[in-house]
């Protein structure tokens, strides 16, 4: 894979990871809403299960956030190594 194409693929993956992060954040908000609603409803099944679901979702969010940070560093190093920091010039 040509270096510029690889950089573009990394950029695309960063956007997709950011989308996953946003989706995971939304999921966490929904889980928290369920937990709050269940305070009044008092469904024992949810009392037991939702904290685990919340914990797994939070762990995933942390993992994806770290992955984004690490991939951004990798992208920067890759772009610098191959002198790709400037956008490719287009010819008309």
């Amino acid at each position: 894979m040509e270096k510029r194409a690889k950089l573009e693929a990394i950029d695309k993956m960063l956007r997709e990871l950011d989308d996953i992060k946003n989706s995971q954040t939304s999921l966490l908000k929904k889980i928290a809403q369920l937990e709050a609603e269940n305070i009044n409803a008092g469904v024992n099944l949810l009392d037991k299960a939702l904290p685990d679901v919340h914990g797994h979702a939070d762990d995933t969010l942390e993992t994806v956030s770290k992955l984004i940070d690490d991939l951004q560093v990798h992208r920067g190093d890759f772009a610098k190594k191959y002198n790709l920091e400037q956008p490719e010039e287009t010819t008309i």
Side-chain angles (χ1 to χ4, degrees):
M1 179 178 270
E2 191 259 324
K3 303 300 185 215
R4 177 73 59 186
K6 185 173 181 178
L7 185 66
E8 290 170 1
I10 292 170
D11 287 340
K12 181 178 185 284
M13 289 184 282
L14 280 167
R15 288 189 301 274
E16 291 170 349
L17 283 168
D18 193 50
D19 187 40
I20 291 169
K21 181 180 173 182
N22 292 336
S23 296
Q24 199 67 18
T25 300
S26 178
L27 177 64
L28 274 171
K29 289 177 183 177
K30 290 177 183 184
I31 294 167
Q33 183 179 1
L34 283 172
E35 290 172 321
E37 291 171 0
N38 194 48
I39 290 172
N40 293 328
V43 177
N44 196 30
L45 172 71
L46 295 177
D47 280 338
K48 291 179 181 179
L50 285 178
D52 288 339
V53 173
H54 191 122
H56 291 299
D58 190 51
D59 290 345
T60 301
L61 179 60
E62 287 181 30
T63 300
V64 169
S65 294
K66 180 166 180 2
L67 186 56
I68 289 170
D69 292 343
D70 292 347
L71 188 56
Q72 286 173 332
V73 169
H74 173 78
R75 186 220 180 271
D77 292 345
F78 181 84
K80 187 174 182 178
K81 179 179 179 180
Y82 294 103
N83 198 25
L84 300 171
E85 289 140 337
Q86 302 298 322
E88 192 171 29
E89 292 183 19
T90 57
T91 55
I92 300 176

